[in-house]
Amino acid sequence: MTKAAENIGKMTFEAALSELEGIVRALEAGQTPLEDSIAAYERGMVLKQHCEARLKDARLRVEKINLSADGTPAGTTPFNPDQ
Amino acid sequence: MPEPFNHPSSLTNTPEISVGDLSLAIKKTIEGAFGFVRVRGELSKVTLAKSGHLYTALKDDVAVLDAVCWKGTVLRLGIKPEEGMEVVCTGRLTTYPGRSNYQLVIESMELAGVGAILKMLEERKKKLAAEGLFDAARKKPLPFLPRIIGVVTSPTGAVIRDILHRIADRFPCHVIVWPAVVQGASAAAEVARGIAGLNALPNPPDVIIVARGGGSFEDLMPFNEEVVVRAAAASKVPLISAVGHETDVTLIDFAADIRAPTPTGAAEMAVPVRDNVLAQVLDDEQRLLQTMSQRLETLRDRLKTAARPLASPARLLEAPTQRLDRAAMQTEHAFEKNLTRSESKLVRLALRTPADVVNAASLKLKNANERLATAQTKMLDKPVRDVDGLARILESLSFKKVLERGYAVLRNDQGQLVGRKNNLTENQQVTITLYDGDAKASITKA
C-alpha cells in the first residue's frame, strides 16, 4: 500500500466521500493537467474502494453498558430489546 | 448554700414533668394533629446531604417551616427541589426533641401551578443561555456516517426498539445503549451521567442520542434539569435530543446539537440510508471512469491532430538527410576537383611516362618516315625515269641492230609484240617495225 492509500485508510467516510466527489467534479470540469488528472483518478479509485468497503461491512451490533452500584460503567453485554 | 435550693418549688400543684416527657407529649400532639398536610411555600436552603436525605425549608412572607425529605422519597419526587421553587408539599409534621424543633416530613412535592413552572423554566433557560450553553457556535455537525452510536434511554420500552429498528433498516452499525431511568427524581442524574459516561468511554461513540417517549409535562421534567442541560452542552460527542413528541420542548433541546422530533427521527438523523450512499459511491466511480476515458479519448484525438504535420520520424529526417547528402556530394566533388587540379599540376611537374616518351618518339619517327618517303620519291623518280629512258633507248638500240640486218618487229594495235602466229587473227591491223621506220599492215590470212 502506498503512503497515500494508508492515509485514505485513516480517513473518515465523510472525508473520503467528499474528496471523491471533489475529484469527480474537478475531472469533469477538465481543468486539471493530464499528469494531475491521472494521479487524481488513481486517488479517486482508492477513495472509492475505501468508501465501498466501509459501506459493505455494515452490520448491526448492539451492546448495553453494565452499570455498577455507583453508576459507573462495568463492561457491556450484547443487547436485544425485542427479547 | 445558694438561694435557689431554698426557693420553694412546690408553690403550685402543677405536676412536674421532665423535658423529655414534655417533648414527647408535644411530639404526640403535633404528629397527631398534623399527620397529613399540604403546605404551599417557597423552597429555601435546599441541601442534599451525603446520606441522600434532603433538608430544606418552606417559607412565605411571614413564616419558615423546616422540612426534610428522606432519601427514599427524594428518588421518587419527580421534580428536583431547587432554591426559590414555589411548591406544594404533602407530608406530615414531626418534631425533633433533641433541638426543640418541628419540621415537615415531605412525602411528595409538586410545583405550584404550571404558570409557575413555566416561569421557572423560562428563568432557567435565560440563565443557561446567558452562560452560552445554547450558543449556535457550540453546535457540532453530526457525522455523516458514525461508526458507533450511543443511546441514553431506558433499555425497556418502545423507544430503544424503534431506534434500533430504524438504524438497522437504514445503516446497521455498532450501537451502545446506556441504560437510564427517564422519569422520576433520579432520571436527570442518570441521563446526565449517561451522556458524560458515553463521552468518557475509551472508544466513545461518534454521535449520542438522548431519547424518551412521549409523556406528561411532569414526566418530561428531568430533561429540563440543569444537570442534564449542562451534560448535553458539555458533550464533546455530537448529541441529538429526542424527548417526547414533536410538540414537546425541554431545555435539553436547546443544549443539544440538534433536536429530533421523535426517537425514530433521531435514528434517521444519525445514519444515512446505506443503499443510497452505496449508489452514490458507485455513481462517483462511474463518473470517474467516464470522465477519464473521455479525457483520454479527447487527448488522443488532439495528439493525433497535433502530430499530423510532424508525420513520421523518418519523414522528419528526410530534409536534413537530403541536405546532408548534398553537402557530402559537394564535398566529394570539391575534393575531386581539387585532386584533379593537384594531379595536373603534378603531371606538369612530374617526369613524362615511358608511354609518353614512346608516343612522342613514334610520332617523330612517323614524321621522319614520311619525310623520308617523300624524299625517296623525289630522289628516285628522276633517276628511275632516266633509267627507264635509257633502258628503252638501250633496248631499241639493241634490236635495231638486228633490224639493220633485215629483221622486222610485229606489234598489235596495242603495241604488244606479236611473236607467234597463234596471236594473229584475220584482218588484224599490225605495225611492222623495220630498221628505218614503222609500217602499217593488215593480216590477210592467219
Side-chain angles (χ1 to χ4, degrees), chain B residues 41 55-56 105 335:
Chain B
Y55 299 97
T56 182
V105 177
F335 176 72

Side-chain angles (χ1 to χ4, degrees), chain A residues 13 21 24 27-28 32 34 37 41 48 54-55 58-63 65 67 71 79 81-82, chain B residues 145 147 155 161 164-165 171-175 177-178 193 274 277-278 280 284-285 287 289 291 295 299:
Chain A
F13 181 87
E21 306 244 282
V24 170
L27 286 183
E28 283 178 341
T32 32
L34 182 62
S37 293
Y41 170 81
K48 175 252 157 189
R54 178 83 175 72
L55 292 171
R59 66 195 169 82
L60 189 69
R61 180 157 70 94
V62 185
E63 288 176 302
I65 299 275
L67 293 175
F79 178 68
D82 294 328
Chain B
L145 185 54
R147 286 173 185 275
R161 237 186 350 256
L164 291 175
H165 284 167
F171 202 117
C173 62
H174 185 187
V175 180
V177 179
W178 188 292
R193 197 186 298 136
R274 191 184 78 106
V277 183
L278 189 58
Q280 192 182 347
D284 283 341
E285 183 191 24
R287 283 165 68 188
L289 287 169
T291 188
R295 178 84 190 269
L299 283 171

